[in-house]
Amino acid sequence: MEGIDPTKRQRSFGHIPVFWAWLAQILEANASCSKAVGLIQGWYQASGLAAPRGGTSGYCMARKNLREDFLAQVAHRITVTLEQRIRPMDKWHQLTLKAIDGSSVQLMDTEANQESYPQPSSQKQGCGFPVMGIHGVVNLSHGGWEGFVTSNSRQHDARAATRLLKHVEEGDLLLADRAYCSYELIARATRQQKAHVLMRLHQARHRKLDWRRGKKISPTERLVMWKKPKRRAGRSELTDAQWDELPDEITLRYIKFGYENRAEEKKVMVVVTDLLDAQEYKAAEMADLYARRWEIELKLRDIKTTLGMEFFAVRTPDMAHKTLTMMIIAYNLMRILMQQAAHEAGEQVNHMSFKGTLDLVTSSHESFRVFACKPRKRRAHYHALIALCATKILDIKPFRHEPRARKRRPKNYQLLTKSRHVFQEILHRENHRKSA
C-alpha cells in the first residue's frame, strides 16, 4: 500500500495493523473485535515488540479513524488487478458480464442508525434493528464486486441502481432481474454508458404484453419499439433537463422461453435485450446467459452467510459504510486467489469454491510467518497455496433440488414485542402466559 499513508506516525493501532486485523475479522466469519486485538497482540509478540493492552476500545477507535478514501483506494487497486487478469474464455462473445442486484444488512439499534436506515415499518419501535439496503454490481467475468451503494431499505431497487451505472462501461453486458427493467435504466446503460443489457421483462409490461406487436424474428423472438414516457418516474434522480436528453425511443428484442418455477409449475419468461442480431446472439444462448444472473445471488450468500456479514455491529452509518468497503476488499482478495487458482486448473472462475478457498486461507495464514524476510521462500509457499486452491472446485449438479429450509429448531425464547425497559419476561415458560 505504497503511497497511501493516512497517519503521521505508526502506533500500536496504526492504520496498517488495524487494516489487516479488520480484514482478518471479516475472513474469520465476522469475528469479534477481541479476536482482532488478539491477532495484533500475536503479531507484535512474534516480532519481538511490546504487545498492546487487551482492551478493545483503542482498536475500535483506530477502526473509526481509518479514512474512507484510504479504503476506497485499496478496493480500487484490488478491482483493477482482477480486471487485468480476465481471460478471453471468461467473457461472453467478447463482452464482460456484469450483474446487478440488491439486498440488505442489519445494523445495531442506535439513534444514528435508525435515523439514516430506519427499521421496517412492520416492527414496533424499539423491537427491531435498523436495516441498510445495499445494491451492488458484480463482475461475473472475474467474480469480484465492482462496488456497492446504500439506501433506505424501503427504497425501490431501480432508484439505487442508477447510481451503480458508473461501474458499467463500453464492452459490458449488464444482467438484471425484472425489478431493474425500466426505460430510464436501459436507455442510460445503452446510450450513455455504451453497454448492453439483458433483463427480464417487468411484470407491469408482461401483463400488457401483446406478442403480435413489433417485428417478428422467430416464433419466440420479436423486435419492439419502446417510447420514452412523457414524464419521468417519481423515483428518478434525473433532472428534467437530463430526462429530456434521453432518446425518445429505443429498439429492443424480446425473447420468450419456457421454464419451471420452484413449485415445479411450467411458466413463460420474456427477457429484453438490446442485442438485436438474432444470428450472432441466438435465443437459446440468451436464455442460458440470463440463468447466469443467479450467480450474483450466490455471491451475496457468500458474503452474508459464509462471511457472516448479515449483521454489522456498528453504531453509526459512517462505520457501516466503512465496514461495507472492508467487506468488498476481503471478498475481492479471496477472488484474486480463486482467479489465479482457476488459471492454474484451467477452469472457469465461477467453478471455484469460495468456501473451500476461504477455509484453506484462514487455516494456513500462520504458515507464512516463518518466511518473514525470505521473499523467495515466501513466493514459493504462495504458489504452493495457489496449487491447493486450484483443487477447490465446485461439484456442479444441475437441476438439483435444495429447498430453503432448516432442520435445527431455534431456542424457545420469547419474542421482544416491546421496548426492553417495559418488557415483562416470563420466567417459567412451562406456565406460559401472554405478556400484557
Short mmCIF file of all heavy atoms in Angstrom, two decimals, residues 197-231:
data_model
loop_
_atom_site.label_atom_id
_atom_site.label_comp_id
_atom_site.label_asym_id
_atom_site.label_seq_id
_atom_site.Cartn_x
_atom_site.Cartn_y
_atom_site.Cartn_z
N VAL A 197 -27.56 -4.72 -22.43
CA VAL A 197 -28.36 -5.18 -21.31
C VAL A 197 -29.08 -6.48 -21.68
O VAL A 197 -29.36 -6.74 -22.84
CB VAL A 197 -29.41 -4.13 -20.88
CG1 VAL A 197 -28.74 -2.85 -20.39
CG2 VAL A 197 -30.39 -3.84 -22.02
N LEU A 198 -29.35 -7.26 -20.65
CA LEU A 198 -30.22 -8.43 -20.76
C LEU A 198 -30.98 -8.52 -19.45
O LEU A 198 -30.39 -8.78 -18.40
CB LEU A 198 -29.41 -9.71 -21.00
CG LEU A 198 -30.23 -11.01 -21.04
CD1 LEU A 198 -31.22 -11.00 -22.19
CD2 LEU A 198 -29.31 -12.23 -21.14
N MET A 199 -32.29 -8.27 -19.51
CA MET A 199 -33.12 -8.22 -18.31
C MET A 199 -34.42 -8.98 -18.53
O MET A 199 -34.88 -9.13 -19.67
CB MET A 199 -33.46 -6.77 -17.94
CG MET A 199 -32.27 -5.87 -17.70
SD MET A 199 -32.79 -4.18 -17.31
CE MET A 199 -31.20 -3.39 -17.07
N ARG A 200 -35.00 -9.41 -17.45
CA ARG A 200 -36.34 -10.00 -17.53
C ARG A 200 -37.36 -8.87 -17.66
O ARG A 200 -37.22 -7.82 -17.02
CB ARG A 200 -36.63 -10.83 -16.29
CG ARG A 200 -37.96 -11.58 -16.35
CD ARG A 200 -38.15 -12.44 -15.13
NE ARG A 200 -39.44 -13.12 -15.18
CZ ARG A 200 -39.89 -13.95 -14.24
NH1 ARG A 200 -39.13 -14.20 -13.18
NH2 ARG A 200 -41.06 -14.53 -14.36
N LEU A 201 -38.37 -9.07 -18.49
CA LEU A 201 -39.39 -8.05 -18.71
C LEU A 201 -40.14 -7.77 -17.41
O LEU A 201 -40.56 -8.70 -16.71
CB LEU A 201 -40.36 -8.51 -19.79
CG LEU A 201 -41.40 -7.50 -20.26
CD1 LEU A 201 -40.74 -6.31 -20.94
CD2 LEU A 201 -42.40 -8.16 -21.21
N HIS A 202 -40.32 -6.48 -17.11
CA HIS A 202 -41.02 -6.08 -15.90
C HIS A 202 -42.45 -6.62 -15.90
O HIS A 202 -43.10 -6.70 -16.95
CB HIS A 202 -41.03 -4.55 -15.77
CG HIS A 202 -41.46 -4.06 -14.43
ND1 HIS A 202 -42.78 -3.90 -14.10
CD2 HIS A 202 -40.74 -3.71 -13.34
CE1 HIS A 202 -42.86 -3.45 -12.85
NE2 HIS A 202 -41.64 -3.33 -12.37
N GLN A 203 -42.94 -6.99 -14.72
CA GLN A 203 -44.26 -7.63 -14.63
C GLN A 203 -45.39 -6.73 -15.14
O GLN A 203 -46.38 -7.22 -15.70
CB GLN A 203 -44.55 -8.07 -13.19
CG GLN A 203 -44.53 -6.96 -12.14
CD GLN A 203 -43.17 -6.78 -11.51
OE1 GLN A 203 -42.15 -7.13 -12.12
NE2 GLN A 203 -43.15 -6.26 -10.30
N ALA A 204 -45.23 -5.41 -15.00
CA ALA A 204 -46.27 -4.50 -15.50
C ALA A 204 -46.35 -4.54 -17.02
O ALA A 204 -47.44 -4.51 -17.60
CB ALA A 204 -45.99 -3.08 -15.02
N ARG A 205 -45.20 -4.61 -17.67
CA ARG A 205 -45.19 -4.74 -19.13
C ARG A 205 -45.60 -6.14 -19.57
O ARG A 205 -46.23 -6.31 -20.61
CB ARG A 205 -43.80 -4.40 -19.68
CG ARG A 205 -43.43 -2.92 -19.58
CD ARG A 205 -42.08 -2.68 -20.22
NE ARG A 205 -41.67 -1.28 -20.12
CZ ARG A 205 -41.95 -0.33 -21.01
NH1 ARG A 205 -42.67 -0.64 -22.07
NH2 ARG A 205 -41.53 0.91 -20.84
N HIS A 206 -45.24 -7.14 -18.77
CA HIS A 206 -45.58 -8.52 -19.13
C HIS A 206 -47.10 -8.73 -19.12
O HIS A 206 -47.64 -9.46 -19.98
CB HIS A 206 -44.91 -9.50 -18.16
CG HIS A 206 -44.95 -10.92 -18.61
ND1 HIS A 206 -43.86 -11.56 -19.14
CD2 HIS A 206 -45.96 -11.83 -18.66
CE1 HIS A 206 -44.18 -12.80 -19.48
NE2 HIS A 206 -45.45 -12.98 -19.18
N ARG A 207 -47.78 -8.10 -18.17
CA ARG A 207 -49.24 -8.26 -18.09
C ARG A 207 -49.94 -7.69 -19.33
O ARG A 207 -50.96 -8.20 -19.76
CB ARG A 207 -49.77 -7.57 -16.83
CG ARG A 207 -49.53 -8.35 -15.55
CD ARG A 207 -50.36 -7.79 -14.41
NE ARG A 207 -49.98 -6.43 -14.09
CZ ARG A 207 -49.11 -6.10 -13.13
NH1 ARG A 207 -48.52 -7.06 -12.43
NH2 ARG A 207 -48.82 -4.84 -12.88
N LYS A 208 -49.36 -6.63 -19.90
CA LYS A 208 -49.97 -5.99 -21.07
C LYS A 208 -49.35 -6.45 -22.38
O LYS A 208 -49.62 -5.88 -23.43
CB LYS A 208 -49.81 -4.47 -20.95
CG LYS A 208 -50.45 -3.87 -19.69
CD LYS A 208 -50.18 -2.38 -19.60
CE LYS A 208 -50.78 -1.79 -18.34
NZ LYS A 208 -50.49 -0.33 -18.22
N LEU A 209 -48.53 -7.49 -22.32
CA LEU A 209 -47.77 -7.91 -23.49
C LEU A 209 -48.69 -8.46 -24.58
O LEU A 209 -49.52 -9.35 -24.33
CB LEU A 209 -46.75 -8.97 -23.09
CG LEU A 209 -45.88 -9.55 -24.21
CD1 LEU A 209 -45.04 -8.45 -24.85
CD2 LEU A 209 -44.98 -10.65 -23.66
N ASP A 210 -48.56 -7.93 -25.79
CA ASP A 210 -49.27 -8.43 -26.97
C ASP A 210 -48.20 -8.93 -27.94
O ASP A 210 -47.49 -8.15 -28.57
CB ASP A 210 -50.10 -7.32 -27.61
CG ASP A 210 -50.95 -7.82 -28.78
OD1 ASP A 210 -50.77 -9.00 -29.18
OD2 ASP A 210 -51.77 -7.05 -29.30
N TRP A 211 -48.08 -10.26 -28.06
CA TRP A 211 -47.00 -10.85 -28.83
C TRP A 211 -47.15 -10.59 -30.34
O TRP A 211 -46.22 -10.82 -31.11
CB TRP A 211 -46.94 -12.35 -28.56
CG TRP A 211 -45.63 -12.98 -28.96
CD1 TRP A 211 -45.41 -13.85 -29.98
CD2 TRP A 211 -44.35 -12.75 -28.36
NE1 TRP A 211 -44.08 -14.19 -30.07
CE2 TRP A 211 -43.40 -13.52 -29.07
CE3 TRP A 211 -43.90 -11.96 -27.30
CZ2 TRP A 211 -42.05 -13.55 -28.75
CZ3 TRP A 211 -42.55 -11.98 -26.98
CH2 TRP A 211 -41.65 -12.76 -27.70
N ARG A 212 -48.30 -10.07 -30.77
CA ARG A 212 -48.49 -9.78 -32.19
C ARG A 212 -47.85 -8.46 -32.59
O ARG A 212 -47.68 -8.19 -33.78
CB ARG A 212 -49.99 -9.75 -32.51
CG ARG A 212 -50.70 -11.10 -32.32
CD ARG A 212 -52.19 -10.94 -32.39
NE ARG A 212 -52.69 -10.08 -31.32
CZ ARG A 212 -53.98 -9.77 -31.15
NH1 ARG A 212 -54.89 -10.24 -31.98
NH2 ARG A 212 -54.35 -8.98 -30.15
N ARG A 213 -47.53 -7.62 -31.63
CA ARG A 213 -46.94 -6.32 -31.94
C ARG A 213 -45.45 -6.45 -32.20
O ARG A 213 -44.79 -7.35 -31.71
CB ARG A 213 -47.19 -5.34 -30.80
CG ARG A 213 -48.65 -4.98 -30.63
CD ARG A 213 -48.81 -3.91 -29.57
NE ARG A 213 -50.20 -3.49 -29.43
CZ ARG A 213 -50.62 -2.56 -28.58
NH1 ARG A 213 -49.75 -1.95 -27.79
NH2 ARG A 213 -51.89 -2.25 -28.52
N GLY A 214 -44.91 -5.48 -32.96
CA GLY A 214 -43.49 -5.48 -33.27
C GLY A 214 -43.18 -6.30 -34.51
O GLY A 214 -44.07 -6.81 -35.21
N LYS A 215 -41.89 -6.44 -34.79
CA LYS A 215 -41.44 -7.17 -35.97
C LYS A 215 -41.05 -8.58 -35.57
O LYS A 215 -40.23 -8.79 -34.68
CB LYS A 215 -40.24 -6.44 -36.59
CG LYS A 215 -39.69 -7.13 -37.82
CD LYS A 215 -38.48 -6.39 -38.36
CE LYS A 215 -37.88 -7.11 -39.56
NZ LYS A 215 -36.68 -6.42 -40.07
N LYS A 216 -41.62 -9.57 -36.26
CA LYS A 216 -41.35 -10.96 -35.95
C LYS A 216 -39.98 -11.38 -36.46
O LYS A 216 -39.63 -11.16 -37.61
CB LYS A 216 -42.44 -11.85 -36.57
CG LYS A 216 -42.26 -13.33 -36.28
CD LYS A 216 -43.37 -14.15 -36.90
CE LYS A 216 -43.17 -15.65 -36.63
NZ LYS A 216 -44.25 -16.46 -37.25
N ILE A 217 -39.20 -12.02 -35.58
CA ILE A 217 -37.92 -12.61 -35.96
C ILE A 217 -38.07 -14.12 -36.06
O ILE A 217 -37.61 -14.75 -37.00
CB ILE A 217 -36.81 -12.25 -34.95
CG1 ILE A 217 -36.66 -10.73 -34.82
CG2 ILE A 217 -35.50 -12.89 -35.34
CD1 ILE A 217 -35.66 -10.32 -33.77
N SER A 218 -38.72 -14.69 -35.05
CA SER A 218 -39.00 -16.13 -35.00
C SER A 218 -40.23 -16.29 -34.12
O SER A 218 -40.71 -15.31 -33.53
CB SER A 218 -37.79 -16.88 -34.44
OG SER A 218 -37.69 -16.68 -33.04
N PRO A 219 -40.76 -17.50 -33.99
CA PRO A 219 -41.93 -17.67 -33.11
C PRO A 219 -41.70 -17.24 -31.67
O PRO A 219 -42.65 -16.93 -30.95
CB PRO A 219 -42.20 -19.18 -33.20
CG PRO A 219 -41.67 -19.58 -34.53
CD PRO A 219 -40.45 -18.72 -34.75
N THR A 220 -40.43 -17.18 -31.24
CA THR A 220 -40.13 -16.82 -29.85
C THR A 220 -39.38 -15.50 -29.73
O THR A 220 -38.93 -15.15 -28.64
CB THR A 220 -39.30 -17.93 -29.18
OG1 THR A 220 -38.08 -18.11 -29.92
CG2 THR A 220 -40.08 -19.24 -29.14
N GLU A 221 -39.24 -14.75 -30.84
CA GLU A 221 -38.47 -13.50 -30.80
C GLU A 221 -39.19 -12.41 -31.59
O GLU A 221 -39.75 -12.68 -32.66
CB GLU A 221 -37.08 -13.70 -31.40
CG GLU A 221 -36.21 -14.71 -30.69
CD GLU A 221 -34.94 -14.99 -31.47
OE1 GLU A 221 -33.96 -14.26 -31.25
OE2 GLU A 221 -34.95 -15.91 -32.30
N ARG A 222 -39.13 -11.19 -31.05
CA ARG A 222 -39.71 -10.04 -31.76
C ARG A 222 -38.87 -8.80 -31.48
O ARG A 222 -38.24 -8.68 -30.41
CB ARG A 222 -41.16 -9.80 -31.31
CG ARG A 222 -42.09 -10.95 -31.59
CD ARG A 222 -43.54 -10.55 -31.45
NE ARG A 222 -44.04 -9.91 -32.65
CZ ARG A 222 -44.50 -10.57 -33.71
NH1 ARG A 222 -44.51 -11.88 -33.72
NH2 ARG A 222 -44.95 -9.92 -34.77
N LEU A 223 -38.87 -7.89 -32.43
CA LEU A 223 -38.28 -6.57 -32.24
C LEU A 223 -39.39 -5.59 -31.90
O LEU A 223 -40.42 -5.54 -32.59
CB LEU A 223 -37.55 -6.09 -33.49
CG LEU A 223 -36.26 -6.82 -33.88
CD1 LEU A 223 -35.68 -6.20 -35.14
CD2 LEU A 223 -35.26 -6.78 -32.75
N VAL A 224 -39.22 -4.83 -30.82
CA VAL A 224 -40.25 -3.89 -30.38
C VAL A 224 -39.62 -2.51 -30.18
O VAL A 224 -38.40 -2.39 -30.00
CB VAL A 224 -40.91 -4.36 -29.06
CG1 VAL A 224 -41.66 -5.66 -29.27
CG2 VAL A 224 -39.88 -4.51 -27.96
N MET A 225 -40.47 -1.51 -30.21
CA MET A 225 -40.03 -0.13 -30.01
C MET A 225 -40.59 0.38 -28.69
O MET A 225 -41.81 0.35 -28.47
CB MET A 225 -40.53 0.75 -31.16
CG MET A 225 -39.97 2.16 -31.14
SD MET A 225 -38.29 2.24 -31.73
CE MET A 225 -38.55 1.95 -33.49
N TRP A 226 -39.71 0.81 -27.82
CA TRP A 226 -40.13 1.43 -26.57
C TRP A 226 -40.05 2.94 -26.73
O TRP A 226 -39.01 3.47 -27.18
CB TRP A 226 -39.23 1.00 -25.41
CG TRP A 226 -39.57 -0.33 -24.82
CD1 TRP A 226 -40.35 -1.30 -25.38
CD2 TRP A 226 -39.12 -0.84 -23.57
NE1 TRP A 226 -40.43 -2.38 -24.56
CE2 TRP A 226 -39.68 -2.14 -23.44
CE3 TRP A 226 -38.33 -0.36 -22.55
CZ2 TRP A 226 -39.46 -2.94 -22.32
CZ3 TRP A 226 -38.09 -1.14 -21.44
CH2 TRP A 226 -38.65 -2.42 -21.32
N LYS A 227 -41.12 3.64 -26.36
CA LYS A 227 -41.12 5.10 -26.42
C LYS A 227 -40.92 5.66 -25.01
O LYS A 227 -41.40 5.11 -24.03
CB LYS A 227 -42.43 5.60 -27.01
CG LYS A 227 -42.60 5.24 -28.48
CD LYS A 227 -43.85 5.87 -29.06
CE LYS A 227 -43.98 5.56 -30.55
NZ LYS A 227 -45.19 6.19 -31.14
N LYS A 228 -40.20 6.76 -24.97
CA LYS A 228 -39.91 7.38 -23.67
C LYS A 228 -41.20 7.90 -23.04
O LYS A 228 -42.00 8.58 -23.71
CB LYS A 228 -38.92 8.52 -23.84
CG LYS A 228 -38.53 9.19 -22.53
CD LYS A 228 -37.39 10.17 -22.71
CE LYS A 228 -37.78 11.36 -23.55
NZ LYS A 228 -36.72 12.37 -23.60
N PRO A 229 -41.45 7.60 -21.77
CA PRO A 229 -42.63 8.15 -21.10
C PRO A 229 -42.61 9.67 -21.12
O PRO A 229 -41.54 10.30 -21.11
CB PRO A 229 -42.50 7.60 -19.66
CG PRO A 229 -41.64 6.39 -19.79
CD PRO A 229 -40.69 6.68 -20.91
N LYS A 230 -43.77 10.27 -21.15
CA LYS A 230 -43.85 11.72 -21.22
C LYS A 230 -43.30 12.37 -19.95
O LYS A 230 -42.75 13.46 -19.99
CB LYS A 230 -45.30 12.16 -21.44
CG LYS A 230 -45.85 11.73 -22.80
CD LYS A 230 -47.28 12.19 -22.98
CE LYS A 230 -47.82 11.78 -24.35
NZ LYS A 230 -49.23 12.20 -24.55
N ARG A 231 -43.49 11.68 -18.85
CA ARG A 231 -42.99 12.20 -17.58
C ARG A 231 -42.02 11.20 -16.95
O ARG A 231 -42.23 9.99 -17.05
CB ARG A 231 -44.14 12.47 -16.61
CG ARG A 231 -45.11 13.55 -17.07
CD ARG A 231 -46.20 13.76 -16.05
NE ARG A 231 -47.16 14.77 -16.48
CZ ARG A 231 -48.24 15.12 -15.78
NH1 ARG A 231 -48.50 14.52 -14.63
NH2 ARG A 231 -49.06 16.04 -16.25
#
